[in-house]
C-alpha cells in the first residue's frame, strides 16, 4: 500500500516526520491494513510552537470501513490513536474511505484556517 | 441587534444550575447592554464535579434542538474547525445553541467524556451526537444535514 508521511512544511527543509507522526502512521497501518494512508502534520497552520506535532490530518483508505457509517469510522480511528489524542494531539481531521469510495473521489478537502484558539491554550498553560 | 442574537446564536441558558450547590465557575447569560432589568447579565453557577458536569451536558443536549460545543462564539470563533461548523449552520439558516468551551474547562473535558469523542467542535441534533467538523461538512455537502434538520 501507499504510505505517505508528509513533512510539516515545504519551507522547513530539514524537518522530517516526527515521532508522533510516525507513531500515528504505524498504528493506523497496523489497525487498518490500508491500501492508502496519508498522515499530514498540519501543526504549522496553527498558533503553536515550531516543529509541533499537535494538529494532524489522516487519510485512511481501507476495506475495514466497508458497511461502517462515518461516525463509527471516525471512532475506530480515534480509538486507534487514543494515546496520541490524550497526550498532545490537539486536533485530528479524518478522511476514512473504502477503496471503492477512494477510487471514485480521492480529493481531500483543505483544513480551515486557524483562528488562534491554540494561542489561548498556550497562555493557559503558562 | 438583540433579536439577531436570539435568532441565530442563542447562547446556552440552564435554569437548573441553581440546584447545584457546589460551584467553582460562573458564566454569563450574554445579552446586549440594554437598560431593562430583564436584559441585564445574570450570573449562574456551574458545578465542579465531573458527574455534575455530565448531567449538565446531558440536559443541554436534550433541551436544545441543535447544540454545538465549540471554541469561541458564533460571532467570534477561536478555531477554524468550529468556525466551519458555524458557517454551515448559518448557511442552512437554523437557530442553534452553543457553549464556548474555552470559557468552561470543565465542560471542555466533560463533553469529550460524554461523547467519547476527543476533539472540539461537537454537534448534537435532538440529543444525538452527529460528529465533528469533518462529518458535519461531509453531511452538508451530501445534503444529509439539511434533510436531518428538516426532519
Amino acid at each position: 500500500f501507499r504510505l505517505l508521511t508528509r513533512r510539516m512544511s515545504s519551507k522547513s527543509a530539514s524537518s522530517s516526520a516526527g515521532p508522533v507522526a510516525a507513531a500515528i502512521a504505524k498504528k493506523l497501518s497496523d489497525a487498518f491494513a490500508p491500501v492508502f494512508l496519508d498522515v499530514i502534520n498540519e501543526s504549522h497552520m496553527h498558533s503553536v510552537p515550531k516543529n509541533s506535532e499537535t494538529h494532524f490530518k489522516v487519510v485512511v483508505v481501507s476495506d475495514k470501513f466497508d458497511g461502517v457509517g462515518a461516525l463509527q469510522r471516525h471512532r475506530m480511528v480515534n480509538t486507534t490513536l487514543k494515546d496520541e489524542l490524550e497526550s498532545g494531539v490537539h486536533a485530528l481531521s479524518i478522511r476514512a474511505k473504502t477503496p471503492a469510495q477512494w477510487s471514485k473521489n480521492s480529493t481531500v478537502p483543505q483544513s480551515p484556517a486557524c483562528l488562534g484558539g491554540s494561542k489561548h491554550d498556550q497562555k493557559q498553560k503558562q | 441587534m438583540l433579536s439577531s442574537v436570539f435568532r441565530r446564536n442563542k447562547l446556552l441558558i440552564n435554569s437548573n444550575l441553581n440546584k447545584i450547590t457546589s460551584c467553582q465557575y460562573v458564566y454569563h447569560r450574554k445579552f446586549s447592554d440594554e437598560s431593562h432589568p430583564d436584559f441585564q447579565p445574570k450570573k449562574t453557577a456551574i458545578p465542579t464535579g465531573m458527574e455534575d458536569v455530565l448531567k449538565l451536558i446531558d440536559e443541554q443536549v436534550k433541551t436544545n434542538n441543535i447544540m454545538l460545543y465549540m471554541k469561541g462564539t458564533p460571532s467570534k470563533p477561536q478555531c477554524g474547525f468550529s468556525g466551519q461548523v458555524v458557517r454551515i449552520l448559518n448557511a442552512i439558516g437554523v437557530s442553534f445553541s452553543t457553549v464556548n468551551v474555552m470559557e468552561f474547562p470543565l465542560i471542555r473535558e466533560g463533553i469529550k467524556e460524554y461523547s467519547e469523542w476527543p476533539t472540539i467542535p461537537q454537534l448534537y441534533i435532538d440529543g444525538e451526537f452527529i460528529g465533528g467538523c469533518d462529518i458535519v461538512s461531509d453531511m452538508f455537502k451530501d445534503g444529509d444535514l439539511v434533510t436531518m434538520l428538516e426532519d
Side-chain angles (χ1 to χ4, degrees):
Chain A
F1 65 91
R2 290 180 58 194
L3 167 64
L4 299 175
T5 307
R6 296 270 186 88
R7 293 183 179 196
M8 218 165 17
S9 165
S10 58
K11 292 180 188 174
S12 175
S14 62
S15 70
S16 56
V20 177
I24 288 174
K26 181 169 187 337
K27 287 187 180 181
L28 290 176
S29 64
D30 289 347
F32 296 101
V35 297
F36 179 81
L37 173 66
D38 198 358
V39 177
I40 307 162
N41 186 344
E42 297 191 321
S43 306
H44 65 284
M45 293 166 58
H46 297 270
S47 306
V48 292
K50 199 178 169 185
N51 299 325
S52 288
E53 290 195 279
T54 51
H55 297 67
F56 284 90
K57 175 181 287 182
V58 298
V59 182
V60 189
V61 181
S62 169
D63 55 17
K64 289 194 190 289
F65 296 132
D66 279 333
V68 178
L71 193 62
Q72 187 54 28
R73 293 181 188 187
H74 283 228
R75 288 198 186 280
M76 289 163 70
V77 173
N78 288 338
T79 300
T80 303
L81 301 179
K82 187 172 184 294
D83 291 342
E84 285 71 27
L85 285 160
E86 286 176 355
S87 62
V89 172
H90 187 77
L92 183 67
S93 177
I94 300 170
R95 311 303 301 172
K97 304 279 184 188
T98 64
Q101 289 172 328
W102 186 246
S103 64
K104 281 184 195 168
N105 182 3
S106 59
T107 57
V108 177
Q110 195 171 1
S111 293
C114 176
L115 295 175
S118 299
K119 235 183 250 174
H120 173 274
D121 290 338
Q122 299 290 321
K123 281 182 191 165
Q124 291 256 307
K125 279 181 189 171
Q126 284 165 4
Chain B
M1 188 58 153
L2 182 60
S3 62
S4 69
V5 169
F6 274 101
R7 186 172 65 248
R8 288 298 195 124
N9 303 316
K10 184 178 74 172
L11 294 173
L12 186 67
I13 301 161
N14 192 329
S15 60
N16 289 327
L17 290 171
N18 290 325
K19 295 178 186 173
I20 301 194
T21 56
S22 171
C23 309
Q24 182 177 0
Y25 299 104
V26 295
Y27 73 94
H28 299 265
R29 215 180 138 167
K30 294 185 180 176
F31 294 89
S32 68
D33 290 331
E34 299 291 341
S35 58
H36 194 290
D38 283 352
F39 297 102
Q40 293 302 316
K42 292 176 184 128
K43 295 188 179 181
T44 317
I46 60 170
T48 53
M50 185 52 69
E51 192 181 319
D52 290 332
V53 172
L54 294 176
K55 280 184 195 166
L56 170 62
I57 290 169
D58 189 64
E59 187 173 334
Q60 288 172 351
V61 303
K62 285 173 180 168
T63 56
N64 294 280
N65 291 63
I66 305 174
M67 185 71 230
L68 175 63
Y69 294 87
M70 64 176 291
K71 293 182 182 177
T73 62
S75 57
K76 200 174 176 187
Q78 289 181 268
C79 157
F81 299 105
S82 291
Q84 185 155 311
V85 175
V86 167
R87 279 196 298 278
I88 288 171
L89 294 174
N90 283 339
I92 296 172
V94 290
S95 295
F96 54 97
S97 303
T98 64
V99 170
N100 178 2
V101 300
M102 308 293 265
E103 287 191 8
F104 304 108
L106 279 179
I107 295 183
R108 183 175 180 174
E109 291 314 304
I111 192 60
K112 292 176 185 176
E113 188 170 325
Y114 183 85
S115 311
E116 294 179 331
W117 190 265
T119 53
I120 305 290
Q122 296 189 17
L123 180 67
Y124 279 79
I125 297 175
D126 291 335
E128 181 188 342
F129 178 56
I130 303 304
C133 177
D134 291 331
I135 291 178
V136 171
S137 300
D138 284 347
M139 287 181 69
F140 177 61
K141 277 180 210 157
D142 296 340
D144 296 336
L145 189 62
V146 172
T147 304
M148 179 180 278
L149 290 169
E150 281 173 354
D151 290 343

PDB file of all heavy atoms in Angstrom, chain A residues 6-23:
ATOM      1  N   ARG A   6       3.727  13.032   5.577  1.00  0.00           N
ATOM      2  CA  ARG A   6       4.128  14.296   4.990  1.00  0.00           C
ATOM      3  C   ARG A   6       5.071  15.078   5.900  1.00  0.00           C
ATOM      4  O   ARG A   6       4.980  15.047   7.111  1.00  0.00           O
ATOM      5  CB  ARG A   6       2.899  15.181   4.751  1.00  0.00           C
ATOM      6  CG  ARG A   6       1.936  14.626   3.771  1.00  0.00           C
ATOM      7  CD  ARG A   6       2.247  15.071   2.350  1.00  0.00           C
ATOM      8  NE  ARG A   6       1.206  14.618   1.460  1.00  0.00           N
ATOM      9  CZ  ARG A   6       0.111  15.322   1.212  1.00  0.00           C
ATOM     10  NH1 ARG A   6      -0.038  16.507   1.747  1.00  0.00           N
ATOM     11  NH2 ARG A   6      -0.819  14.853   0.415  1.00  0.00           N
ATOM     12  N   ARG A   7       5.917  15.842   5.267  1.00  0.00           N
ATOM     13  CA  ARG A   7       6.712  16.784   6.032  1.00  0.00           C
ATOM     14  C   ARG A   7       5.806  17.898   6.537  1.00  0.00           C
ATOM     15  O   ARG A   7       4.772  18.182   5.963  1.00  0.00           O
ATOM     16  CB  ARG A   7       7.792  17.386   5.162  1.00  0.00           C
ATOM     17  CG  ARG A   7       8.819  16.371   4.759  1.00  0.00           C
ATOM     18  CD  ARG A   7       9.937  16.976   3.966  1.00  0.00           C
ATOM     19  NE  ARG A   7      10.911  15.959   3.634  1.00  0.00           N
ATOM     20  CZ  ARG A   7      12.125  16.223   3.228  1.00  0.00           C
ATOM     21  NH1 ARG A   7      12.520  17.465   3.088  1.00  0.00           N
ATOM     22  NH2 ARG A   7      12.968  15.264   2.945  1.00  0.00           N
ATOM     23  N   MET A   8       6.276  18.520   7.606  1.00  0.00           N
ATOM     24  CA  MET A   8       5.464  19.544   8.246  1.00  0.00           C
ATOM     25  C   MET A   8       5.237  20.711   7.312  1.00  0.00           C
ATOM     26  O   MET A   8       4.172  21.240   7.191  1.00  0.00           O
ATOM     27  CB  MET A   8       6.213  20.030   9.480  1.00  0.00           C
ATOM     28  CG  MET A   8       5.325  20.297  10.614  1.00  0.00           C
ATOM     29  SD  MET A   8       6.152  20.461  12.180  1.00  0.00           S
ATOM     30  CE  MET A   8       7.821  20.725  11.816  1.00  0.00           C
ATOM     31  N   SER A   9       6.291  21.156   6.672  1.00  0.00           N
ATOM     32  CA  SER A   9       6.165  22.329   5.825  1.00  0.00           C
ATOM     33  C   SER A   9       7.220  22.266   4.749  1.00  0.00           C
ATOM     34  O   SER A   9       8.349  21.870   4.994  1.00  0.00           O
ATOM     35  CB  SER A   9       6.353  23.587   6.679  1.00  0.00           C
ATOM     36  OG  SER A   9       6.569  24.698   5.847  1.00  0.00           O
ATOM     37  N   SER A  10       6.865  22.661   3.562  1.00  0.00           N
ATOM     38  CA  SER A  10       7.848  22.629   2.489  1.00  0.00           C
ATOM     39  C   SER A  10       8.957  23.649   2.753  1.00  0.00           C
ATOM     40  O   SER A  10      10.039  23.554   2.217  1.00  0.00           O
ATOM     41  CB  SER A  10       7.163  22.925   1.162  1.00  0.00           C
ATOM     42  OG  SER A  10       6.519  24.182   1.236  1.00  0.00           O
ATOM     43  N   LYS A  11       8.672  24.640   3.604  1.00  0.00           N
ATOM     44  CA  LYS A  11       9.666  25.674   3.890  1.00  0.00           C
ATOM     45  C   LYS A  11      10.760  25.139   4.804  1.00  0.00           C
ATOM     46  O   LYS A  11      11.870  25.595   4.823  1.00  0.00           O
ATOM     47  CB  LYS A  11       8.996  26.874   4.577  1.00  0.00           C
ATOM     48  CG  LYS A  11       8.061  27.630   3.672  1.00  0.00           C
ATOM     49  CD  LYS A  11       7.442  28.789   4.428  1.00  0.00           C
ATOM     50  CE  LYS A  11       6.351  29.413   3.576  1.00  0.00           C
ATOM     51  NZ  LYS A  11       5.632  30.430   4.306  1.00  0.00           N
ATOM     52  N   SER A  12      10.414  24.137   5.616  1.00  0.00           N
ATOM     53  CA  SER A  12      11.373  23.638   6.584  1.00  0.00           C
ATOM     54  C   SER A  12      12.093  22.442   5.985  1.00  0.00           C
ATOM     55  O   SER A  12      11.689  21.307   6.131  1.00  0.00           O
ATOM     56  CB  SER A  12      10.612  23.256   7.857  1.00  0.00           C
ATOM     57  OG  SER A  12      11.471  22.667   8.783  1.00  0.00           O
ATOM     58  N   ALA A  13      13.186  22.705   5.274  1.00  0.00           N
ATOM     59  CA  ALA A  13      13.824  21.649   4.509  1.00  0.00           C
ATOM     60  C   ALA A  13      14.412  20.565   5.388  1.00  0.00           C
ATOM     61  O   ALA A  13      14.534  19.418   4.993  1.00  0.00           O
ATOM     62  CB  ALA A  13      14.911  22.261   3.624  1.00  0.00           C
ATOM     63  N   SER A  14      14.787  20.935   6.601  1.00  0.00           N
ATOM     64  CA  SER A  14      15.448  19.947   7.446  1.00  0.00           C
ATOM     65  C   SER A  14      14.462  19.107   8.235  1.00  0.00           C
ATOM     66  O   SER A  14      14.846  18.174   8.910  1.00  0.00           O
ATOM     67  CB  SER A  14      16.402  20.647   8.415  1.00  0.00           C
ATOM     68  OG  SER A  14      15.641  21.501   9.249  1.00  0.00           O
ATOM     69  N   SER A  15      13.162  19.432   8.185  1.00  0.00           N
ATOM     70  CA  SER A  15      12.199  18.692   9.002  1.00  0.00           C
ATOM     71  C   SER A  15      11.859  17.381   8.333  1.00  0.00           C
ATOM     72  O   SER A  15      11.921  17.247   7.119  1.00  0.00           O
ATOM     73  CB  SER A  15      10.927  19.502   9.201  1.00  0.00           C
ATOM     74  OG  SER A  15      10.209  19.584   7.999  1.00  0.00           O
ATOM     75  N   SER A  16      11.518  16.410   9.132  1.00  0.00           N
ATOM     76  CA  SER A  16      11.039  15.147   8.595  1.00  0.00           C
ATOM     77  C   SER A  16       9.932  14.701   9.528  1.00  0.00           C
ATOM     78  O   SER A  16       9.646  15.364  10.507  1.00  0.00           O
ATOM     79  CB  SER A  16      12.176  14.136   8.540  1.00  0.00           C
ATOM     80  OG  SER A  16      12.739  14.000   9.815  1.00  0.00           O
ATOM     81  N   ALA A  17       9.306  13.553   9.212  1.00  0.00           N
ATOM     82  CA  ALA A  17       8.201  13.096  10.029  1.00  0.00           C
ATOM     83  C   ALA A  17       8.672  12.930  11.464  1.00  0.00           C
ATOM     84  O   ALA A  17       9.646  12.229  11.730  1.00  0.00           O
ATOM     85  CB  ALA A  17       7.681  11.772   9.479  1.00  0.00           C
ATOM     86  N   GLY A  18       7.954  13.574  12.402  1.00  0.00           N
ATOM     87  CA  GLY A  18       8.344  13.485  13.800  1.00  0.00           C
ATOM     88  C   GLY A  18       7.887  12.178  14.409  1.00  0.00           C
ATOM     89  O   GLY A  18       7.213  11.360  13.759  1.00  0.00           O
ATOM     90  N   PRO A  19       8.203  11.979  15.678  1.00  0.00           N
ATOM     91  CA  PRO A  19       7.862  10.724  16.344  1.00  0.00           C
ATOM     92  C   PRO A  19       6.354  10.497  16.456  1.00  0.00           C
ATOM     93  O   PRO A  19       5.889   9.352  16.357  1.00  0.00           O
ATOM     94  CB  PRO A  19       8.496  10.873  17.742  1.00  0.00           C
ATOM     95  CG  PRO A  19       8.754  12.329  17.908  1.00  0.00           C
ATOM     96  CD  PRO A  19       8.972  12.886  16.547  1.00  0.00           C
ATOM     97  N   VAL A  20       5.599  11.585  16.636  1.00  0.00           N
ATOM     98  CA  VAL A  20       4.151  11.414  16.768  1.00  0.00           C
ATOM     99  C   VAL A  20       3.556  10.998  15.426  1.00  0.00           C
ATOM    100  O   VAL A  20       2.737  10.075  15.346  1.00  0.00           O
ATOM    101  CB  VAL A  20       3.484  12.710  17.275  1.00  0.00           C
ATOM    102  CG1 VAL A  20       1.982  12.560  17.331  1.00  0.00           C
ATOM    103  CG2 VAL A  20       4.026  13.067  18.658  1.00  0.00           C
ATOM    104  N   ALA A  21       4.010  11.647  14.364  1.00  0.00           N
ATOM    105  CA  ALA A  21       3.527  11.297  13.023  1.00  0.00           C
ATOM    106  C   ALA A  21       3.873   9.844  12.700  1.00  0.00           C
ATOM    107  O   ALA A  21       3.058   9.101  12.138  1.00  0.00           O
ATOM    108  CB  ALA A  21       4.135  12.235  11.979  1.00  0.00           C
ATOM    109  N   ALA A  22       5.072   9.440  13.069  1.00  0.00           N
ATOM    110  CA  ALA A  22       5.499   8.063  12.798  1.00  0.00           C
ATOM    111  C   ALA A  22       4.649   7.067  13.592  1.00  0.00           C
ATOM    112  O   ALA A  22       4.238   6.026  13.065  1.00  0.00           O
ATOM    113  CB  ALA A  22       6.983   7.903  13.144  1.00  0.00           C
ATOM    114  N   ALA A  23       4.373   7.410  14.823  1.00  0.00           N
ATOM    115  CA  ALA A  23       3.551   6.523  15.659  1.00  0.00           C
ATOM    116  C   ALA A  23       2.135   6.427  15.106  1.00  0.00           C
ATOM    117  O   ALA A  23       1.540   5.346  15.063  1.00  0.00           O
ATOM    118  CB  ALA A  23       3.517   7.047  17.103  1.00  0.00           C
TER     119      ALA A  23
END
